[in-house]
Amino acid sequence: MKFFAINSTILTVLSILFMSQANAAAQEQDEQKIPTTEEMAAKEADRLAELLKLDPGQVFYVDSTLQHDYAAWKEESEKLQRSRVDNYDMYNNVRDKWMEQIDKTYRRIFTDEQWAAYLKSGAAKSQKAREKRKAKIEKASGHTSGK
């Protein structure tokens, strides 16, 4: 019986230690700041400025575009959440819509060389994935894109 009592005590102590560590980790996550749409836009604009060698005017337009489009994307996603939409595809559609809008704006802002570098940096792969999802939806709904 002593063996079980000791094991029970050890188990209790370990459980308490584990729970205190879990609580500390949860508290640390709560304290971590979730970036605002403005902060995310600025970070992405800075990343693209360095990657594509954007001039200050281009950085301004990229940052302004992202601030607007990220905020609109967030609002549209939150609207789905408030409506208790649990269809993941609807959230994907919203994301794809805004990423497509951002890419269209980037195409107007970037030079041909910058656009090519942007596509090589992973954007082309993202665009193909969006097109694939769009085609899948159109096929499922019986519509064609008319391309």
Side-chain angles (χ1 to χ4, degrees):
M1 279 315 254
K2 283 185 180 181
F3 177 72
F4 290 114
I6 291 171
N7 281 340
S8 175
T9 305
I10 291 172
L11 185 61
T12 302
V13 170
L14 288 175
S15 295
I16 291 169
L17 286 173
F18 176 74
M19 293 302 289
S20 66
Q21 286 178 339
N23 285 339
Q27 188 174 13
E28 186 177 313
Q29 273 187 331
D30 288 343
E31 292 172 2
Q32 290 178 353
K33 184 181 170 198
I34 297 172
T36 65
T37 55
E38 292 84 7
E39 291 168 336
M40 291 187 315
K43 186 176 181 178
E44 180 64 3
D46 290 344
R47 184 188 77 81
L48 290 172
E50 186 175 321
L51 176 71
L52 305 175
K53 309 294 186 249
L54 301 178
D55 66 45
Q58 289 174 307
V59 175
F60 173 79
Y61 284 124
V62 167
D63 184 55
S64 298
T65 295
L66 292 176
Q67 283 190 40
H68 173 270
D69 290 356
Y70 282 175
W73 174 9
K74 179 181 176 185
E75 177 58 34
E76 200 167 334
S77 295
E78 287 174 349
K79 188 175 179 181
L80 288 175
Q81 287 177 331
R82 286 190 302 271
S83 299
R84 301 194 185 273
V85 172
D86 60 356
N87 182 337
Y88 186 71
D89 290 337
M90 292 182 74
Y91 291 94
N92 274 339
N93 291 342
V94 169
R95 182 194 63 222
D96 288 351
K97 168 186 155 183
W98 286 105
M99 292 309 298
E100 188 173 326
Q101 178 62 38
I102 289 168
D103 279 352
K104 285 179 183 177
T105 304
Y106 282 173
R107 185 61 193 113
R108 290 191 305 266
I109 295 170
F110 299 160
T111 66
D112 290 340
E113 294 81 18
Q114 290 168 331
W115 179 249
Y118 172 69
L119 292 175
K120 285 181 184 177
S121 74
K125 188 175 181 179
S126 296
Q127 287 176 350
K128 286 179 186 177
R130 287 196 307 265
E131 286 299 318
K132 188 176 180 180
R133 283 190 295 272
K134 186 176 180 180
K136 183 179 176 183
I137 290 169
E138 288 175 352
K139 182 179 178 184
S141 66
H143 294 105
T144 58
S145 63
K147 289 184 180 178

